[in-house]
Amino acid sequence: MANLTISDKIYNQLSAQIISGEIKPGQKLEEQDIANQFGVSRTPIREAFRLLHTSGLVESKAHRGVTVIELDIEQLGDMYEALQELEALCARLSAERMTAVERKQIERMHQQSKQAVEEEDVERFAELNDQLHSAIHQGSRNKTLLETIAKMRKRLTLYRQPWLFEKRNRLETSFSEHGELVDAILKGDKDKAFEAMRNHISNTSLGTLDYLMSQKP
C-alpha cells in the first residue's frame, strides 16, 4: 500500500469523524485549531480541506471559511444502486471468462480472509476485500465495465473505510457472502454469481446507509 502523506492522514481522520457524525453538519472547521490538534503547520491542513471539498464533505465560502455539509443520503443510495448492478454484471462475466488460475486466486483470497475474520483484523479483511473485488472485475474482460466501476468505487471510497466494517457489523456477514460469490464463480454458474454479487453489494449499501442515517441529528 502507498505511503500516506500528512495531509492524507488528516483527511482520513477528519472524513471518518464527519461520516460518523462526530463532526456535525454545519460545524465550522478552523484551520489553526486543527493545525494545533495535529501538531502541524497550516499547509497540510489546507490540502486536507481541499480533499474534503473534492469529496463533497465540506463547502468553502468567502468570509465563512470551511463548514461541514449535510451528507446527501439519496445521492449515495443512487450510486450504490448503480454499483450493485455493475458489479453483478462483472461477476456474471467472470463466471464465464475467468481462467482456471484466476479462479484459484480468488479462492485463495477468500480463504486468506477467513483468518482476518477470526482474528477480527478489520484492516486486513478490508485489504483482501478490495483485492477480491478487483480480481473479479479484471476477470470480466470488459474494459468499459472496469473503468466505470473504478470511477464509481473511487467516488464511494469514503464509505468503504475499514472501520465501517465494525460499525455495520459486516465482517462475518461479508465473508459469508463472499463465500457464495466465489463458489458460484468457481462452478461457472453465471446466474448465481450475478445474484450473489448483487445481494452482497445491496447488503453493504443498506448497512452503510442505515448507519449514516442513524448518525443524522
Side-chain angles (χ1 to χ4, degrees), residues 119-168:
E119 296 177 355
E120 297 184 356
D121 188 341
V122 178
E123 294 281 347
R124 177 59 176 158
F125 184 84
E127 182 182 354
L128 288 166
N129 176 72
D130 285 344
Q131 290 176 12
L132 179 64
H133 280 264
S134 179
I136 293 172
H137 301 160
Q138 293 291 334
S140 72
R141 302 288 191 274
N142 187 304
K143 290 183 179 179
T144 300
L145 197 52
L146 278 172
E147 291 171 359
T148 305
I149 289 177
K151 290 176 183 177
M152 188 75 71
R153 286 177 71 86
K154 185 175 182 180
R155 291 180 66 187
L156 288 167
T157 298
L158 283 173
Y159 309 99
R160 296 190 296 109
Q161 298 297 319
W163 60 271
L164 275 170
F165 278 105
E166 294 178 300
K167 295 292 185 181
R168 300 173 308 195

Side-chain angles (χ1 to χ4, degrees), residues 60-98:
S60 303
K61 292 185 178 180
H63 310 301
R64 288 187 58 188
V66 177
T67 56
V68 178
I69 66 171
E70 187 81 34
L71 291 175
D72 191 337
I73 302 295
E74 184 176 349
Q75 182 185 17
L76 189 59
D78 287 347
M79 291 169 65
Y80 268 119
E81 184 177 51
L83 183 66
Q84 75 180 32
E85 298 301 327
L86 292 171
E87 291 227 29
L89 178 55
C90 254
R92 179 193 293 276
L93 294 175
S94 289
E96 293 182 293
R97 299 174 179 178
M98 266 188 161

